Amino acid sequence: MENKKTLKNKAKLLKIYIGESDRYKAENLYRAIVKKAKEFGLSGATVLRGIEGFGLHSDYRSSLIEVLSADLPIVIEIIEEEEKIKKFLKKISPMINQGLIVMCDVEVIKHV
Amino acid sequence: MENKKTLKNKAKLLKIYIGESDRYKAENLYRAIVKKAKEFGLSGATVLRGIEGFGLHSDYRSSLIEVLSADLPIVIEIIEEEEKIKKFLKKISPMINQGLIVMCDVEVIKHV
Amino acid sequence: MENKKTLKNKAKLLKIYIGESDRYKAENLYRAIVKKAKEFGLSGATVLRGIEGFGLHSDYRSSLIEVLSADLPIVIEIIEEEEKIKKFLKKISPMINQGLIVMCDVEVIKHV
């Protein structure tokens, strides 16, 4: 494949914390972010759903009341080179009106 | 809101690994920790449940035998400034009789 | 117990990103890795299953089509001392034909 790409040794882990019910236009925000990540040519994205949590408005989100609230916490993890992450953040930052984005250093051991 | 707070650029990601069936007094330990985090004024907490794992006693925890064991691994993630994390740890450390707590540096990109 | 072990202050968080349907011989790859981790005497391993994501072949993996694809993203987290992690990686690296392995520094706060 022409766009076969492997990450370099030093990369960044981007973690995006949002709510499952957060929307971007007509769709789920987390799905919109994953789509953007794919369009942008990032090497991957993983969406994890929590069973409970609270965020910026200190509202509980619990799977016990999932039927009512349907707003469980979502964590999106993306591993990519720093420069690419920074460009990608410019794209998605305006989509996120509520949430937390953090980044940390990782050493890439294997990427196949 | 008076307690509107945003995290500074440098923060810590706290990760707490416990079991789903671990208890603190009359309730689930993970729920008790999330409550304490909220009471303590932390900016957020996210609870993730694993589908399998093993911990300090090397006992398998698998979702295949969830009905029997109901002890899947739980990871709680909290992002906060270091000083506040350290004070919070003093509160919750006595609640955790079995588990693993780690912390790593993160750069806060956005917090809204 | 004779093999009671506690992690030192400085350790590594190993994160392994694979697909749920990835196989190693007759079993699920993630389960094979957890077994190896246990055999190898690591202090723990946690398997998280994502609800959506894409990986190296840019194929969407979504829980909406779980019945059809059954290939949701898996993240395995292991916290261990660096030397032990490196030896463990030699064991499991040949098992992973497709995936991403990263490592970052963590400070161990409590391990009981």
Side-chain angles (χ1 to χ4, degrees), chain B residues 31-59:
Chain B
R31 192 154 284 170
I33 292 170
V34 170
K35 272 191 194 168
K36 283 273 182 226
K38 205 186 166 194
E39 279 168 27
F40 202 74
L42 299 192
S43 65
T46 302
V47 181
L48 301 165
R49 177 169 49 205
I51 57 164
E52 181 157 333
F54 69 93
L56 299 151
H57 298 298
S58 292
D59 47 348

Side-chain angles (χ1 to χ4, degrees), chain A residues 1 13 30-31 34-35 37-38 42-49 74 77 79 105-112, chain C residues 15 17 50-58 60 62 64 73 89 93 96-104:
Chain A
M1 272 174 271
L13 165 59
Y30 74 82
R31 193 155 282 171
V34 169
K35 271 190 195 168
K38 204 185 167 192
L42 299 192
S43 67
T46 301
V47 181
L48 300 166
R49 177 168 51 203
I74 290 283
E77 295 196 347
I79 289 158
D105 294 316
V106 291
E107 187 185 339
V108 177
I109 307 292
K110 187 171 184 170
H111 182 217
V112 282
Chain C
K15 288 178 77 103
Y17 295 82
I51 57 165
E52 181 157 333
F54 69 93
L56 299 152
H57 298 298
S58 292
Y60 268 92
S62 163
L64 288 182
L89 282 167
S93 195
I96 301 169
N97 296 320
Q98 195 183 336
L100 172 60
I101 307 175
V102 300
M103 196 161 80
C104 69

